[in-house]
Amino acid sequence: MTRMTRVSRTAEPHVLLIRLAGPLQSWGVTGRFARRDTHTRPTKSGVIGLCAAALGLDRDEPLGELADVRFGVRADRPGTPLRDYHTVGGGRYPLRPRDLVTDHRRATAAAAVLEPASDTDTGTDTDAEEPYGRHTLDAWYGSPKLIEADPVSGALVSRQVRRHALLTERWYLADAAFLVGLEHEDRALLDRIGHALEHPRRLLWLGRKACPPSGDLSLGVVSGTLRDVFPSLALLPAAGIADTPEPHGGRPWAWIESPVPLSDSGPVQDQPVRFDASGPVHGPRWETRHRITIAPHASEWDLIP
């Protein structure tokens, strides 16, 4: 009879330290296509998703102990909110032959534009030899939307031959640096995650594909709890900027997960359950906010910025 070995909850806790820094970060909470927001700090679901990608987990794989780690984040460099305003489509786009062949409604709409004009003096068609790519339709968006099968021909066509520009805005944190801690009694699990972050099996980004991380991610595993570890470590240096003043007078804010609801804790809908292709599923968890006073003899950093 095989007996499974379980890690005792009375074992000494350990913390994996993760550095999240880069030109841009974006940790969305309620983002949609038209407006994609960002939280003021990394979320647990975002960081666990980062670790799952590094480990090479598929979307339908259970997260297991990865979701059970206790999460904490210290805002060493909170960064500056940055708004990126987008306009997609609209205006005038050249018509291609395939646009007219695959969608008869576009061909009908463009018929007047494509009719060759007659030269009254010579009786010849002046535009007869003019190539495609020079004709346009006003306010026609070239990327097809609302695709469906045509009832006559069976070809896939768009229900919209004209589209106006789509307006979107996306929010980022610029020049931010966060110290994330993952606390667990199983040091081997934390070592495995830390190694994967430096040797990822999939591409990693800071919340969004446009936000790659810079420098070191895994800063090693130390003994202790998040409450003990955060004050014992110096603030992360600002990447590429010397003599940068410390934010908040050197006393950053930290958010530490609470295993049970406490009087000073608040609920957040940020506990990762699974990362299905149809959309991630989150559950509730609790966290407390602390003002961290860095110890006078805190350990300094020797890392790639």
Side-chain angles (χ1 to χ4, degrees):
M1 177 177 178
T2 302
R3 178 173 296 178
M4 297 181 62
T5 302
R6 300 185 63 184
V7 177
S8 172
R9 289 298 177 184
T10 61
E12 180 182 8
H14 303 277
V15 175
L16 169 63
L17 300 172
I18 303 174
R19 171 183 174 270
L20 299 181
L24 293 175
Q25 305 185 34
S26 186
W27 306 97
V29 180
T30 59
R32 296 294 183 267
F33 177 79
R35 186 181 189 277
R36 298 185 179 181
D37 67 344
T38 179
H39 206 348
T40 58
R41 59 188 184 276
T43 60
K44 182 178 182 179
S45 59
V47 173
I48 295 303
L50 181 81
C51 296
L55 290 166
L57 298 181
D58 293 331
R59 284 186 174 272
D60 56 353
E61 281 191 67
L63 297 174
E65 288 184 311
L66 187 57
D68 295 335
V69 297
R70 190 179 177 192
F71 176 79
V73 56
R74 194 181 75 182
D76 290 10
R77 307 282 170 181
T80 304
L82 175 66
R83 177 175 177 258
D84 187 16
Y85 179 75
H86 279 252
T87 59
V88 183
R92 298 166 64 88
Y93 289 78
L95 290 169
R96 302 164 298 175
R98 58 181 267 184
D99 296 327
L100 308 181
V101 173
T102 59
D103 192 337
H104 65 86
R105 282 170 291 189
R106 289 182 188 170
T108 301
V113 177
L114 297 177
E115 283 183 3
S118 297
D119 191 316
T120 55
D121 295 331
T122 62
T124 60
D125 294 337
T126 57
D127 289 344
E129 303 299 327
E130 187 174 358
Y132 282 98
R134 297 185 182 180
H135 301 287
T136 61
L137 288 177
D138 291 336
W140 179 72
Y141 180 35
S143 179
K145 300 292 181 181
L146 304 176
I147 301 299
E148 65 179 10
D150 181 70
V152 177
S153 64
L156 295 178
V157 296
S158 171
R159 282 189 282 131
Q160 292 184 345
V161 296
R162 294 173 176 234
R163 284 186 63 86
H164 296 291
L166 304 177
L167 306 180
T168 69
E169 59 177 347
R170 304 172 187 184
W171 287 89
Y172 300 88
L173 296 176
D175 300 322
F178 299 95
L179 181 64
V180 167
L182 302 182
E183 179 185 322
H184 201 272
E185 291 82 4
D186 188 355
R187 181 174 184 131
L189 170 66
L190 300 180
D191 286 334
R192 189 164 69 252
I193 297 172
H195 180 270
L197 289 172
E198 293 303 315
H199 305 83
R201 299 182 62 183
R202 290 190 172 91
L203 294 177
L204 306 181
W205 48 80
L206 304 179
R208 195 174 294 165
K209 292 182 180 180
C211 307
S214 64
D216 297 323
L217 275 79
S218 175
L219 303 181
V221 178
V222 297
S223 299
T225 65
L226 290 166
R227 290 290 301 271
D228 298 331
V229 169
F230 278 166
S232 66
L233 300 169
L235 294 179
L236 293 170
I241 304 176
D243 301 325
T244 303
E246 295 180 343
H248 306 300
R251 298 185 64 226
W253 286 106
W255 293 262
I256 298 177
E257 184 176 358
S258 174
V260 294
L262 300 174
S263 59
D264 59 344
S265 65
V268 288
Q269 192 72 14
D270 184 38
Q271 175 62 33
V273 177
R274 59 181 183 272
F275 297 110
D276 292 343
S278 58
V281 179
H282 300 146
R285 65 180 183 89
W286 291 264
E287 67 179 11
T288 57
R289 187 175 72 159
H290 307 271
R291 191 70 130 171
I292 303 297
T293 300
I294 305 299
H297 303 291
S299 302
E300 295 293 337
W301 298 104
D302 181 17
L303 48 82
I304 300 174

